[in-house]
Amino acid sequence: MEIYAVKINGFVNPMGLLFDTLLCSWKVRGAKGKKQAEARVEVSLDPALDTLLYETGGADLDALGVPLKLELAPYTRYYCRVTVTSDLGETAQSDVCWFETAKLDEPWTAQWLGFEDDTRHPEFGKTFRLDKAVAQARLYICGLGLFEADINGEKVGDDFLAPFVNDYEAHVQYCTYDVTPLLAPDNALRVRLGKGWWMGRFGLAGQKYPHRGFALIAELRVRYQDGSEAVIGTDGSWSCRGSVFELTDIYDGETQNHLLWAGRENPWRPAKTIDAPTALVARYSPPLHAMEALSVQEIIHTPAGETVLDFGQNLAGYVEYRQPLPKGTALTLEFGEILQNGSFYHDNYRSAKSVFHYVSDGEPRLIRPYFTFFGFRYARVSGLAAVDASAFWARAVYSDMEPVGRLETGSAKINRLHENTLWGLKSNFLDMPTDCPQRDERLGWTGDAQVFCRTAGYLMDTRGFYAKFLRDLRSDQLRCGGKAAIYLPNNMPGTTSAVWSDIAALLPDMFYDYYGSRDMLALHYPLMKDWVDSVRREDKARGEKHLWDFGFHFGDWLALDGATEQSVFGRTDDGFIASAYYHASAACVARAAALLGKAEAEEYARLAQDIRRAILGEYFTQTGRLAIDTQTGYLVALKFGLYADKARLLEGLRARIKKDCNRIKGGFVGATMMNTVLAENGLEDIAYDFLFFEGFPGWLYAVNLGATTIWERWNSVLPNGMISGTGMNSLNHYSYGSVVEFLYRNSAGIAPLCPGFRRARIAPLPDNRLAHLNCSYDSAAGRYVSGWKILEDGSVDFHIEVPFGCEAELVLPEQKPRSLAAGSYDYHIKTARDYRAPYTANTPLERLLEDPRAVAVLEKYLPDTLRTLDCSDVEAMSKSLVDQRRRAQVFRAPTEGCDRAIEAILKIRG
Ligand code: BGC
């Protein structure tokens, strides 16, 4: 028995975090027992935990998050240990972990420093001597827009782009670093600043922020071995001068010119103190690190005469160069996601220049940007006499989170789709969930985050990451009268849209489902409630129809049923979508209020009911038919339970899909929920058909064209390899990767029944085209496993694992549900349905025609149909043998051929 993943607020050994909640969580594995009989959490000021400061224990201690009720002191490290005894009497003790406070309410003794010259980038410096032996030293620091500090030439900490993305109108985060090992008796502390999100060009309209300037505050606190302390803070005794940075911009890139001052005066001058440019708050961002290092897969000499490096994977981050460059060498790297006609291309970055320039002074150093990042697979290199592939490495930059999901199937293409989604996440989890990492946006678009959050939760432990985003959403909302943003950092305050702004209720709801902490739900509750209240107020002002049928909405963004295939707005009525999300958000508030024991729980449940009634009145016919005949319309109604007659709705959805020739029509709203909704309403076969559809529009279309991430549009790239447009066309947009939720939640079948996955429903859905599936999900409560394999005789083997302290309701095909306690289980099931059978009578002809066995059947029994079939006629190809038979009946033609063909098709196996 082993205790693992001991975390504080979702972080491993967090240093200098903002601890306004203090929750200790852990997991147990390898136990013989099934559940916890007793648990204990101890907190101490000493690593040996000889003297305890706080202790809590009992049978009911919740491993999903035990509040540590401590009066925290500033600048203090607390040690923490968890002990668990199982119901069989086994006992395990965790490693000692820790968390350390930053300044709390302690005032800064340091002063802010500024830099008046807007035309240059500053570096600040301080030299100092430490006369006594140092026991420990911490640097508390914030530099605006971005900072990198070094002590005696060694980088402080391993963060990238600190202090990250902030709600700048409210505050910026300061970071805490352990700098003990960097100090010597004589020291030089140097801090360089870049513009970043604070003062660079940034926002939907490429906003600039001339009222914001470079600024630095830092406090080095040294504790000597004799117990005395020294504080070296920024003040007028610090120096500053121009740095080697000529340009630092999130969109445009970076120019680092190490000869900038060659032959010119650039003396260290006394630094100037300034008034605080903004408030400070202890860091609450998870660590933002340079993670994977990817080598060059190929050096391409393009028809345009360029040298382009191919890293084989689209990602967000930067390229580093690991060889010395002779003095005067000017290395330029430009970034792109795709080649066009074999040559470098990045017109889809729109106005983002995305260039890294480096001018060498001949000094050996690791060459890399400090204050920008790029979204890329390819880098165009210029300025080098010879290009040595081994000198270049791409570094993926993202918030450091623990990977929790693993999924592998018998389909290489689906495995690639999963991988592409994971890379989509990595590329867009750079401290905030962004839409894309390359063009002139890279914004925390809330709609994208909302549709993807439940997928992300299966892939990574997103607790720290989403807690940060939720805090920023709340902080922004407080300035916007309850309205929730369409993107962060918000420079369009007060603008809202359904689905996007509904993140205010839906992300806390996901957070509770996945991480199960009531304390966090309580923290997020005001964000949820204020959001719903803001829509409610507007509805009331318009006569209280209980509908959100007014205002601006993105609607079913990028759906294919809009005015044209390149239109950004879909066909589904915006008022219907918005009202459905208003209902969903109100229902989330009602649920949260009930869980938290709030008096208003009833009121919000009634509000949700009123909205539901109004939707049924406005958007359904009197007899229960949905008056909005689009895929997204039906899917939204099914997802949120908005119907009087479910069978009618399902019938409408099936018919709509047929009328749409089995093609996806939905966009950010419909397509992202489609497969889970289908599967949860008994239509998993249709969901699998969409998943495996290889053409446009479909998930495998991009995979077939060599995509390594998820594209913004279904047809971002055309079959001939040409990009379909430049206006709204990122090749690294994770939204449509939401289909991966279907793989975990439905194909593997692992879904939460109780918050934090303490109880799960495991209902795997085998499919012949996947052949087998192995999935593990290390949920907040522990690791679930669900695997299945279709055997040669058509029976299915299932392997299920339920973690310690958890229970599952297992629903295997054609079986009665079983209750499972923690443990490992294997089942061999022979169902009436033969899972080797790839086709049904309803399989469209276009699928049958891909299989020579099926073609042989058609040749034998329906030769005329086969001869006259026009393969380019999408509608004719979408018909099934059942449709053929119906048609024959209508025209009084013989149906025997169809009957025989159906019989033979149903006999095909494998
Ligand atoms: C972004 C989207 C975003 C949208 C708003 C786009 O420019 O890239 O992903 O959600 O605007 O509809």
Side-chain angles (χ1 to χ4, degrees), residues 435 439 441 445 448 500 554 557 668 712 728 733:
D435 54 339
R439 69 170 176 232
E441 288 201 52
W445 279 103
D448 308 45
W500 273 248
F554 291 113
W557 185 249
F668 272 36
E712 182 170 18
M728 194 67 75
H733 237 74

Side-chain angles (χ1 to χ4, degrees), residues 658 841-845 876-885:
K658 283 224 124 195
N842 287 308
T843 302
L845 290 171
M877 294 287 281
S878 74
K879 302 291 182 206
S880 66
L881 291 175
V882 169
D883 298 323
Q884 291 287 328
R885 191 178 188 285

Side-chain angles (χ1 to χ4, degrees), residues 204 350 434-436 439 441-443 445-449 486-487 497 500 552-555 557-558 568-569 668 712 727-730 733 735:
L204 194 54
R350 306 195 303 218
T434 54
D435 54 339
C436 56
R439 69 170 176 232
E441 288 201 52
R442 315 186 200 184
L443 300 164
W445 279 103
T446 48
D448 308 45
I486 54 167
Y487 67 74
S497 165
W500 273 248
F552 168 78
H553 297 288
F554 291 113
W557 185 249
L558 300 187
V568 290
F569 296 106
F668 272 36
E712 182 170 18
M728 194 67 75
N729 209 350
S730 128
H733 237 74
S735 297

